[in-house]
Amino acid sequence: MEKRQINPWTWQDRAGYSQAWRVDGADAVIFLAGQGSISAEGELVGDGDFEAQARKTFENIATVLEAAGASVESIVKLNVYLTDIAMLREYGRVRAEFISGPPPAGTAVQVAALALPGMMLEVEAVAVL
């Protein structure tokens, strides 16, 4: 499989953003449902603490990908839903701790509420093998 970052402009490099990824020769595509800061018991982790919630969310993404035979390096697309768009930079900082190198293509959207009271973000992912 070959993954190639597509950035026809330069501004996105300063923003830690990728316009697209071209994937040739993938054997599998994994579509992750929205992941949040939910414990194995189904309870919210990090109530009121955005960084704790973002970390747990990416830990959950890594767990689901591992169960599917992949890793965070396999991610080519992320959609993040935030209850406060002002937290986008903080999200990007935490994301970069879990996903090194050029970032996946991404979309960020502010929403009024998420699945559980107190949830501050939810992240969907697409990964390729």
Side-chain angles (χ1 to χ4, degrees):
M1 176 191 66
E2 180 184 335
K3 294 186 335 185
R4 183 168 48 112
Q5 184 183 32
I6 309 296
N7 278 336
W9 308 287
T10 59
W11 67 262
Q12 68 275 323
D13 299 333
R14 295 185 310 274
Y17 185 80
S18 294
Q19 295 293 338
W21 282 86
R22 178 183 169 136
V23 179
D24 294 308
D27 291 328
V29 179
I30 304 162
F31 296 90
L32 275 72
Q35 300 296 308
S37 60
I38 310 299
S39 70
E41 296 76 31
E43 301 296 324
L44 181 67
V45 173
D47 191 22
D49 184 341
F50 183 85
E51 183 173 344
Q53 287 196 21
R55 287 184 187 291
K56 182 60 177 170
T57 297
F58 277 100
E59 289 168 6
N60 288 347
I61 288 169
T63 297
V64 173
L65 286 170
E66 183 179 320
S71 69
V72 293
E73 287 78 27
S74 306
I75 296 172
V76 294
K77 175 79 166 102
L78 289 171
N79 295 332
V80 61
Y81 303 93
L82 301 162
T83 57
D84 181 359
I85 200 72
M87 301 309 293
L88 185 58
R89 283 189 189 270
E90 183 71 6
Y91 160 80
R93 187 185 63 73
V94 174
R95 181 199 67 207
E97 293 176 16
F98 284 85
I99 303 172
S100 61
T107 299
V109 178
Q110 181 170 313
V111 297
L114 292 162
L116 294 177
M119 227 171 125
M120 303 167 90
L121 77 157
E122 186 169 343
V123 180
E124 298 173 331
V126 176
V128 294
L129 295 174

